[in-house]
Every structure is written in structure tokens, then in C-alpha cells.
Amino acid sequence: MKICLVATFPPSGRQLNEYAFHIARELQSNPLIKLTILSDELTSYQWATDESGTPIKVEQQELSGFDVLRCWKFNDLATPVRLVKAIRQLQPDVVWFNLVFSTFATQEHPVAAFAGLCAPALARALGYYTHVTLHNIMEHVDFAGAGVRQERVFRLGSELATRTLLKANSISVLLSGYHRTLIEKYAAQNVLLGTHGIFAHCPAPPDLSKRGNPDHRILAIGHWGTYKKLETLMEAFPEVLRRIPTAKLIIAGANHHTKPGYWESIRESQRGNSRIEFRGYVPEDAIPELFRTTSALVMPYDSATGSSGPAHQACEYGLPIVSADIQDFLTMAADEDMAISFYKRGDALDLANKLIAILESPERQRRIAQHNFSAAVRMTMPAVLRQYLRWFELAKRKQAAGSSAVFLSFRRWRRSVSRSPAFAVPIGSSSYWSLHADRLLNGHSADDSPLGGMGGTGNGRVAPEFGSTK
């Protein structure tokens, strides 16, 4: 199977590049798949800084072992044209888009952002099977919390963009609430419920001896400055430190690309506090040790734009999690059986109390670590990718079954013509082929027999693209 993965990809520092890397690494390990990554052109990333606040120099060398074609540019109106040109040259079986609404441009360039989001529909119109993994939907985004101006205009634009994305053959979302919204609001028939997953093939059980030895490290990691903010955490930490003198706060991650200098300003306000450490951007190879030596992950967000990558990494390493009580995260915890301690959003004292309750109890830390690690082993990246490949294979089989059914129907039709001269539908007419195509796309063969054995996704959920919509 030939797959084109359309995504940001390292060494690009843009959103979702790490997720795309782990998808690609898993696909590369399958000898039956030929993968080409259609990614963004490399530029300078002034918002990504190291622990001293110095912009990180991006190595321009591509990661070895991957076939990467950097054929589109961020904030560029020509992105869909350039993508379609590359897709037509490669002739893949599947074009897989890994997206958020800001993948192709910032809110300051809404037309370019919308143009990029039209690419899946254009690829399908050209005859390529197109799948979109959509990490957020705008109906669940707090625009004010995310710093978006002209909310009404953006709501209308995002609704049009969502309807355009739904023109892909299939689309998967990672939270049940998103799945429900797309079906109820847009009457979508091609939406699948997927899983974010963890990045490890086979995660190792957590080594609790590395925690609280000697410090109880509290980790906050992300792209900071929009809806991910640090003010509430900075207000809460003195109370944590008063009760837990060995507590140490680690702030890791780059600024959001629209908010350069944000975490550096927070660091400046905390100058002289030796119990708060600012790491800046953390390279991929330094992530494991960072999580292994952490006692708890904290997510002090004002809003969310989808399932949380740091929360899944915390599960991979068996960490307790403390989070603001944001609806997306409440849904994520329920969907994936994560043990998360929720505090009232914006309430610094409640956040401090939740952290103290965990750090004061070794037994509670152990119990939560076991629970979250158990959740992680049920959603490894190989398991997640098997589900996607099953969807793609079902689509391929359905297409083949459709071609076979049309051929058999054609033979039956020719026999019927010889018996019924008054039959009025010419063999090449659009109405004839439209009738049978509609039946095939709705899960029936050309003679109205059900297409058997192609409705399930293998995990108790039904893939609407390939069968029932219930």
C-alpha cells in the first residue's frame, strides 16, 4: 500500500510534528507500506528557545530512513495546489492528512489556512482515497481563551472549513465529544472515532525509585502563551512548596508560534526562585528521562484544542496527572480510562491542594501510576496504527467489491436488455452508473444485496464509511 502522509514533520518545529514522526516511524516498520511524507518547508523558528531563551538553530538535515518531500509552505495560499501536484506525481493508494485547523497558517492568515484545509477535498475529487485525522474541532474551542479576535467571523469560517474537511472519504477524531458533534451538527456519515495513543511500542513499567529522589518534580510541558498559560501555576506553587519543601517545578516546552517570548517573561517574574526551573524546548531524545524523574504532570490550561499529548505521555511513563477541569480533558479521561485529578479552572488554591494531596501520599502515587500505565499499554502506537490500516484496507476492499459488483450488474443488465427491448436506460448513461454507485457507497451491491463483513472496525465501533452509521 502506498501512503502519502501530509503533516508537519521534524526537524520542522510546528504543531503536531512529533505526532507525525511517531506515525511515520510505525508505518516505516511495515514492509507492506511505501510511505512518502508531504511536509512543510523548513524555516527559522524564533519562538522555540532553549533554557537561556536563545532561539534554537534548526538542523536542516532530514531524519534518516524517511522519504520526505517538503512541498508546501506555511501561510502560503498555493499550498493546496502544491500538494495536489505532489500527490498526482506519487499516485498513492491513500492520502492521509494529520491536521489541526492551524496546520497550514495562523489566524492572521485565515484565507491561507482555509485554502490548506481544502486540500483533502481536492485530493478526493481527483480520485484518491483521502483520510483526515482531525485533532480538534472549532465548536469545542474557547476562542477568547485561545486569544482569537473577531470570534463571530472565525466561527462562520471554521464551520465552512469543517464542512469542507468532511468532503474527505473518511475523517477520524480522537474524542467522543467531537465524534458526537460532527454527527449531530453536520449529519456526517464518514466520521470515525480513533485513539490518540502513546508513542512507545512497548512501554516499560515506571521506576518509582527515581521520583522524589531527592526532589518531587512537578512537570508542566507544552507550547506556551495562548490557551496554555502559566500564571495560575505560578500563583499555586508557593503553597505547594510551603507544604512540600522538596517540590520543584519544571517548565518545559517552546512558546506557541504566535506568542514568542511568553515563557521567558514568566521566568523573569520568577527570577531568584531556585525551586522553579525553565527548560525551554526539550529535544525528543531528552523526553524519556524528563518524564521518568517526574512525580506529577500538571496541565494548567485555560482551554483546550483536543486530546492532550502530554497526558498520553504521562500515562506512558505512569505519572499522576493534575489538570484544569476542561471539558475536552474530562472527556479524554473518560474515553481512555485515565486517572486525572481535576481542579477548578483558574483556581490556584484548588490546584495547589490537588498537587499536595498527591505528593503527600506515596501510596496514592503508586496506585495512580499503575492505573495510568495500564491505560497506556492498551493504546500503544502499533495498536493505533493497526486500526488505521484496517480502515484503509476496508476501503480498498470495498472499492474492489464495488468494481466487481458493477461488472456483474452490467452482465445481468445486458441479459435483461435482450429480453426487454423497452428497457429505457442506455448502457453509458450517467443515471445508470449513478444508481449503482450510490448503492455501492451505501453498503449494498448492485443487486441490492448487503455488502457482508465490512461494517466493523474491530474494536466495537462501527466505521460509517464502510457500513452502518449507528
Side-chain angles (χ1 to χ4, degrees):
M1 181 184 293
K2 292 174 65 177
I3 296 177
C4 281
L5 177 63
V6 181
T8 59
F9 192 78
S12 167
R14 298 197 182 275
Q15 197 170 6
L16 294 183
N17 74 87
E18 299 98 336
Y19 194 80
F21 166 74
H22 290 284
I23 290 175
R25 185 177 65 177
E26 190 60 34
L27 290 173
Q28 284 286 82
S29 68
N30 189 327
L32 300 179
I33 292 174
K34 178 175 175 53
L35 175 67
T36 303
I37 302 158
L38 304 183
S39 192
D40 56 323
E41 293 181 1
L42 298 176
T43 60
S44 61
Y45 305 104
Q46 296 296 317
W47 70 87
T49 54
D50 60 21
E51 66 275 7
S52 66
T54 303
I56 294 171
K57 293 182 179 179
V58 178
E59 291 290 338
Q60 299 297 311
Q61 186 175 356
E62 296 290 356
L63 302 182
S64 62
F66 295 97
D67 182 11
V68 182
L69 177 60
R70 297 202 175 268
C71 62
W72 56 273
K73 189 176 181 180
F74 196 68
N75 287 336
D76 188 356
L77 278 169
T79 286
V81 176
R82 297 173 72 179
L83 277 171
V84 164
K85 181 180 179 181
I87 291 166
R88 294 185 69 176
Q89 289 174 344
L90 293 166
Q91 294 292 311
D93 299 303
V94 175
V95 185
W96 182 0
F97 289 81
N98 182 55
L99 302 179
V100 290
F101 277 77
S102 59
T103 290
F104 296 109
T106 64
Q107 60 176 292
E108 287 77 21
H109 299 83
V111 178
F114 179 78
L117 295 175
C118 291
L122 290 174
R124 182 185 181 183
L126 291 171
Y128 300 99
Y129 180 83
T130 305
H131 181 85
V132 177
T133 296
L134 188 59
H135 290 254
N136 66 338
I137 61 174
M138 292 296 100
E139 284 77 7
H140 290 247
V141 173
D142 177 0
F143 275 32
V148 175
R149 300 180 296 275
Q150 298 179 314
E151 180 173 342
R152 180 177 296 181
V153 174
F154 271 86
R155 290 283 180 199
L156 290 172
S158 64
E159 182 172 330
L160 179 59
T162 300
R163 294 187 185 279
T164 303
L165 285 169
L166 286 168
K167 298 298 183 183
N169 293 87
S170 57
I171 183 168
S172 58
V173 291
L174 308 180
L175 293 174
S176 59
Y178 292 4
H179 185 257
R180 185 165 51 251
T181 296
L182 292 178
I183 290 175
E184 292 177 355
K185 179 176 178 178
Y186 297 93
Q189 300 286 310
N190 59 340
V191 182
L192 309 166
L193 180 56
T195 303
H196 183 287
I198 65 168
F199 296 152
H201 287 252
C202 184
D207 181 359
L208 300 183
S209 68
K210 291 189 173 184
R211 301 175 185 179
N213 186 18
D215 296 326
H216 274 301
R217 294 184 175 186
I218 301 167
L219 174 64
I221 185 169
H223 289 86
W224 302 106
T226 53
Y227 61 92
K228 295 181 180 180
K229 295 184 178 179
L230 295 165
E231 284 80 0
T232 301
L233 181 57
M234 294 300 124
E235 185 181 347
F237 186 64
E239 177 62 18
V240 176
L241 196 58
R242 186 179 71 82
R243 296 278 298 276
I244 312 290
T246 58
K248 187 168 187 177
L249 182 58
I250 308 295
I251 308 297
N255 294 305
H256 190 273
H257 58 79
T258 63
K259 298 293 182 180
Y262 172 78
W263 75 254
E264 292 88 346
S265 69
I266 298 294
R267 181 188 60 182
E268 187 63 27
S269 71
Q270 300 296 322
R271 184 175 294 277
N273 190 338
S274 63
R275 304 306 295 177
I276 302 179
E277 181 181 338
F278 291 85
R279 293 280 189 92
Y281 174 79
V282 179
E284 187 73 23
D285 58 4
I287 289 290
E289 187 62 18
L290 178 64
F291 274 84
R292 290 188 189 114
T293 57
T294 292
S295 296
L297 176 79
V298 61
M299 301 195 299
Y301 305 163
D302 291 341
S303 62
T305 58
S307 191
S308 168
H312 286 83
Q313 286 181 299
C315 288
E316 178 181 334
Y317 294 98
L319 287 185
I321 305 169
V322 177
S323 171
D325 59 351
I326 297 166
Q327 185 57 53
D328 279 3
F329 294 161
L330 293 165
T331 302
M332 175 186 69
D335 286 351
E336 301 184 354
D337 193 27
M338 294 180 178
I340 301 179
S341 180
F342 290 99
Y343 70 91
K344 185 177 179 180
R345 179 173 45 173
D347 189 330
L349 182 58
D350 194 24
L351 169 56
N353 288 336
K354 292 296 191 294
L355 286 168
I356 291 166
I358 290 172
L359 297 180
E360 281 185 335
S361 173
E363 174 57 26
R364 188 175 183 185
Q365 293 174 46
R366 183 191 63 78
R367 188 171 65 251
I368 296 173
Q370 290 178 344
H371 184 103
N372 282 343
F373 181 74
S374 295
V377 298
R378 294 192 295 270
M379 51 181 175
T380 61
M381 191 54 68
V384 171
L385 265 293
R386 279 196 298 271
Q387 187 64 77
Y388 278 107
L389 294 178
R390 185 179 292 118
W391 289 338
F392 299 159
E393 185 62 29
L394 284 170
K396 186 177 178 181
R397 291 183 182 182
K398 181 176 179 180
Q399 187 177 36
S403 300
S404 175
V406 170
F407 176 73
L408 290 172
S409 180
F410 170 72
R411 293 183 63 183
R412 293 190 189 101
W413 181 84
R414 289 194 63 181
R415 287 197 297 269
S416 70
V417 167
S418 63
R419 302 188 190 100
S420 305
F423 191 81
V425 182
I427 187 169
S429 72
S430 61
S431 60
Y432 175 84
W433 293 111
S434 295
L435 169 66
H436 289 281
D438 287 344
R439 287 175 178 171
L440 291 167
L441 289 172
N442 284 313
H444 299 282
S445 65
D447 60 354
D448 286 331
S449 299
L451 270 175
M454 294 193 180
T457 63
N459 63 353
R461 298 165 180 161
V462 175
E465 175 69 6
F466 313 122
S468 170
T469 61
K470 300 296 184 182

